[in-house]
Amino acid sequence: TIDKDDIDGIFNPTEGTIFYEASVTDLTNDNQPIVAFRNTLNTSEEYHAMGHAIGGSVGTVRAWSKDASANNVHLTSHSGLVAGNPYKHMYGYKYNDYSDAFTQGATSAQTNTTSGNHAMLTAGVINELRFGGYYSAPEGAYRLDAGHIKRFSYWPTKMSNNQIKTYVS
């Protein structure tokens, strides 16, 4: 984990782009996060989470974002994840403009959504960057069971939908 003192001034609550390259070796369990920006004071709201079957659907790569009122503002699911094989996943957020893309071998997908009139997160609400866990208490049930996180990057601006799709290809 990286806590508030180290992510303040880096994390942008109004827009950003998150990228990781990883592999998940055990696809039998859902909710295996790779990375999440989260609020440890309110674990069911206010986060950006990415990984294997976040929110269910074993064998999928998902991105899940909630606003301060617990509204799902971006929840996507890309099928075709193969256990043990490296894949790339990228997610960008900005008011009413969300996009994520996934590539593993010949499988690739992108989802672009609008969120309607949902407020973006407030500065200072996100107080942790967690690798391999999200949503629940630090040692909670939602963690990466088996896999490898090869690379992680974060930009404090949202890349265009086309840039996101191209970056993971």
Side-chain angles (χ1 to χ4, degrees):
T1 62
I2 299 173
D3 66 17
K4 181 174 179 52
D5 294 335
D6 294 322
I7 65 170
D8 271 354
I10 296 170
F11 179 76
N12 183 349
T14 58
E15 68 174 300
T17 306
I18 305 165
F19 168 82
Y20 71 85
E21 185 174 359
S23 61
V24 178
T25 54
D26 180 1
L27 301 182
T28 58
N29 295 321
D30 61 7
N31 287 306
Q32 293 189 58
I34 300 296
V35 63
F37 280 101
R38 58 190 289 262
N39 174 3
T40 60
L41 303 176
N42 190 347
T43 58
S44 64
E45 300 175 358
E46 304 157 340
Y47 57 81
H48 298 281
M50 301 167 67
H52 169 251
I54 299 295
S57 302
V58 170
T60 63
V61 173
R62 295 175 62 119
W64 192 353
S65 177
K66 286 190 170 191
D67 69 9
S69 299
N71 297 300
N72 290 329
V73 292
H74 184 73
L75 176 58
T76 63
S77 181
H78 305 295
S79 60
L81 185 63
V82 177
N85 291 345
Y87 70 95
K88 297 175 185 177
H89 190 195
M90 190 170 204
Y91 159 68
Y93 61 94
K94 188 175 181 177
Y95 178 75
N96 218 22
D97 180 14
Y98 296 79
S99 180
D100 78 297
F102 153 73
T103 299
Q104 183 182 51
T107 301
S108 65
Q110 182 175 28
T111 300
N112 305 315
T113 63
T114 56
S115 62
N117 192 24
H118 293 291
M120 297 301 293
L121 299 178
T122 306
V125 168
I126 298 298
N127 62 12
E128 181 182 75
L129 170 59
R130 176 171 293 280
F131 297 96
Y134 89 116
Y135 188 64
S136 58
E139 303 305 320
Y142 302 123
R143 62 183 178 275
L144 179 61
D145 290 335
H148 175 77
I149 302 170
K150 179 179 179 180
R151 185 170 46 162
F152 169 81
S153 297
Y154 172 76
W155 297 265
T157 57
K158 183 191 179 286
M159 292 185 185
S160 73
N161 296 346
N162 192 50
Q163 287 173 310
I164 290 170
K165 185 176 181 179
T166 301
Y167 197 90
V168 299
S169 60

